[in-house]
Amino acid sequence: MLKIKPLALSIAMILSVSACQPPAADSTPAQNNNAAPAANADGTVNIAVNDTQCEPMELTVPSGKTTFNIVNNSARKLEWEILEGVMVVDERENIAPGLTDKMTVTLMPGEYAMTCGLLTNPRGKLIVTDSGFKAPENLADMSKLAQPLADYKVYVQAEAKELVAKTDAFVAAVKAGEIEKAKAMFADTRTHYERIEPIAELFGELDPAIDAREDDFKTVTDPEFTGFHRIEYALWEEKSVAGVQDIADKLSADVKALAAEIDALNFPPHKVVGGAAVLIEEVAGSKISGEEDRYSKTDLSDFKANVEGAEKIVELFRSVIAEKDPALLQTVDSNLKTVNDILAKYQTADGFLPYDKLSEEDRKNLGTPINTLAEELAKFRGTLGLN
């Protein structure tokens, strides 16, 4: 069992894992390596990252709230993280070359690590001295979150392993021209992706390559449109896989790359706990319209997988949520049962009814409890002190 002291909690608003739009870099020069710079006049601290390291590789700041100006001095998008052991304290992702992003975080005394671009780059050191700052009472207790986080990573890794195996079989059917066989495998293969979507979405290049929809491109035949839904279009609409042989190979490679990235990832607590709401919010916000699996009409299978992914997070964090707000947990359990009971009505021997078989009234009856569930799950992060 991981033993993590309750040292830190991000208080910044979490940016989207899609490409962020930070302000242009200011003219403040990067600090020299191995220096421990003083704060700027406004109290912020500069940290730059180039292709090989941080600038500087060591920082010292007082305990309490600090705002970091993170400058990307490399030629590629990058992320910067503060780590306490195996735990991600906070992060900024997809910082564009030449630009600056800001991150405000509350830190308790101790020694932390900083990631510096590529995972293979050496890590920097962040030393937090004791300024007398007192942690707020609602600070997340990381010692109680460590085991659920570790268990969730095991769950995600297992789902990713299944995704790789089933995607390989699906791709083999596509490449062999076995259209009906590939159709029969499509929904089941995708369930393993849908259950872990909040983690998959952390990877800003792999997620769209695997799961982008037609709406993200000018035309459905755009060569940049790859992944499951491009093959779905070929199977159900074109009724030919002649044009997606290379796309099938790419899907297999991308899924394997995703599994490898997951193995190396330090799971951010706020992303995991917040992932339960994200899964259901996506159903409520867009999938309920039928836009996800628009060619195959296998949407209900995705819905069920999203609910199962949210249920897993609830299950793993159940004890710590119950300590903070047992009434909230009871409400969530009740809402989950309502959604599952409705989905069960549409189950068949080999999956679910095609989504176009549901009436508008059916969709409304499903949408209302899904929205309610999403709203309740969104309270988890604040309940555990992760906002």
Side-chain angles (χ1 to χ4, degrees):
M1 178 177 178
L2 298 174
K3 296 182 179 180
I4 308 296
K5 294 181 287 184
L7 291 176
L9 170 66
S10 164
I11 62 170
M13 292 296 292
I14 304 302
L15 297 181
S16 168
V17 296
S18 61
C20 62
Q21 300 295 326
D26 59 30
S27 58
T28 305
Q31 306 292 333
N32 294 328
N33 291 335
N34 301 318
N40 297 319
D42 62 359
T44 62
V45 173
N46 297 335
I47 179 74
V49 184
N50 61 35
D51 288 324
T52 59
Q53 64 182 14
C54 290
E55 302 170 328
M57 287 295 285
E58 183 173 315
L59 280 173
T60 299
V61 299
S63 60
K65 183 166 69 174
T66 299
T67 296
F68 295 92
N69 301 315
I70 310 155
V71 185
N72 183 354
N73 282 341
S74 76
R76 57 187 293 166
K77 288 191 297 184
L78 56 76
E79 67 178 29
W80 185 70
E81 298 174 324
I82 298 174
L83 303 174
E84 198 281 306
V86 298
M87 305 280 284
V88 177
V89 176
D90 206 347
E91 62 182 341
R92 281 296 175 266
E93 298 175 301
N94 295 321
I95 307 173
L99 297 185
T100 299
D101 203 354
K102 291 183 181 291
M103 184 174 84
T104 302
V105 59
T106 297
L107 298 166
M108 301 304 292
E111 186 174 301
Y112 301 80
M114 305 182 296
T115 58
C116 298
L118 297 176
L119 292 175
T120 53
N121 290 347
R123 289 180 174 177
K125 182 187 294 184
L126 175 62
I127 299 169
V128 181
T129 59
D130 189 352
S131 69
F133 172 80
K134 301 299 182 183
E137 292 183 1
N138 65 344
L139 187 69
D141 187 342
M142 293 299 177
S143 66
K144 292 183 178 179
L145 299 184
Q147 192 60 51
L149 285 167
D151 291 342
Y152 183 68
K153 181 166 185 175
V154 171
Y155 166 75
V156 172
Q157 288 175 307
E159 289 296 320
K161 183 177 180 181
E162 284 294 305
L163 177 65
V164 168
K166 291 186 179 180
T167 299
D168 279 348
F170 171 70
V171 164
V174 169
K175 297 194 70 178
E178 297 174 326
I179 291 179
E180 293 306 315
K181 181 177 180 180
K183 283 176 157 184
M185 301 171 73
F186 178 78
D188 181 54
T189 301
R190 282 182 48 75
T191 59
H192 301 288
Y193 191 85
E194 293 294 322
R195 287 174 187 147
I196 62 171
E197 204 162 12
I199 300 302
E201 288 178 347
L202 292 175
F203 304 101
E205 295 182 359
L206 287 172
D207 175 55
I210 293 168
D211 200 40
R213 304 171 190 173
E214 176 185 340
D215 308 293
D216 298 318
F217 306 91
K218 290 182 178 180
T219 67
V220 72
T221 55
D222 188 316
E224 295 300 313
F225 182 20
T226 62
F228 279 114
H229 295 304
R230 176 61 184 91
I231 297 174
E232 179 195 6
Y233 179 80
L235 292 170
W236 272 271
E237 298 296 321
E238 296 178 312
K239 297 179 172 54
S240 169
V241 292
V244 294
Q245 299 291 300
D246 290 344
I247 291 173
D249 284 333
K250 185 177 188 306
L251 175 62
S252 181
D254 286 340
V255 164
K256 289 182 175 68
L258 176 66
E261 294 282 4
I262 285 170
D263 285 341
L265 179 68
N266 293 303
F267 282 29
H270 56 269
K271 295 288 188 184
V272 174
V273 173
V278 168
L279 282 161
I280 306 304
E281 285 167 356
E282 185 169 351
V283 177
S286 61
K287 290 182 179 179
I288 200 74
S289 67
E291 69 176 58
E292 174 83 358
D293 301 302
R294 65 189 67 179
Y295 319 117
S296 63
K297 313 301 182 187
T298 56
D299 303 83
L300 289 172
S301 177
D302 280 9
F303 293 3
K304 180 63 173 176
N306 290 152
V307 172
E308 288 170 342
E311 285 180 311
K312 188 65 179 182
I313 294 170
V314 174
E315 172 193 328
L316 292 176
F317 289 86
R318 176 170 295 276
S319 62
V320 288
I321 295 166
E323 285 183 12
K324 298 285 188 178
D325 194 339
L328 173 60
L329 186 60
Q330 186 176 9
T331 299
V332 166
D333 285 341
S334 176
N335 291 336
L336 279 167
K337 183 179 185 304
T338 298
V339 171
N340 278 319
D341 287 347
I342 294 172
L343 287 173
K345 296 193 304 183
Y346 307 116
Q347 281 189 285
T348 64
D350 57 354
F352 287 87
L353 287 175
Y355 196 53
D356 58 356
K357 299 298 182 184
L358 274 64
S359 66
E360 286 302 316
E361 187 66 21
D362 288 330
R363 296 187 188 196
K364 180 180 178 181
N365 290 338
L366 180 58
T368 299
I370 283 177
N371 274 294
T372 301
L373 176 60
E375 291 170 2
E376 296 302 316
L377 288 171
K379 299 175 183 177
F380 276 6
R381 271 182 32 185
T383 298
L384 296 183
L386 291 170
N387 275 340

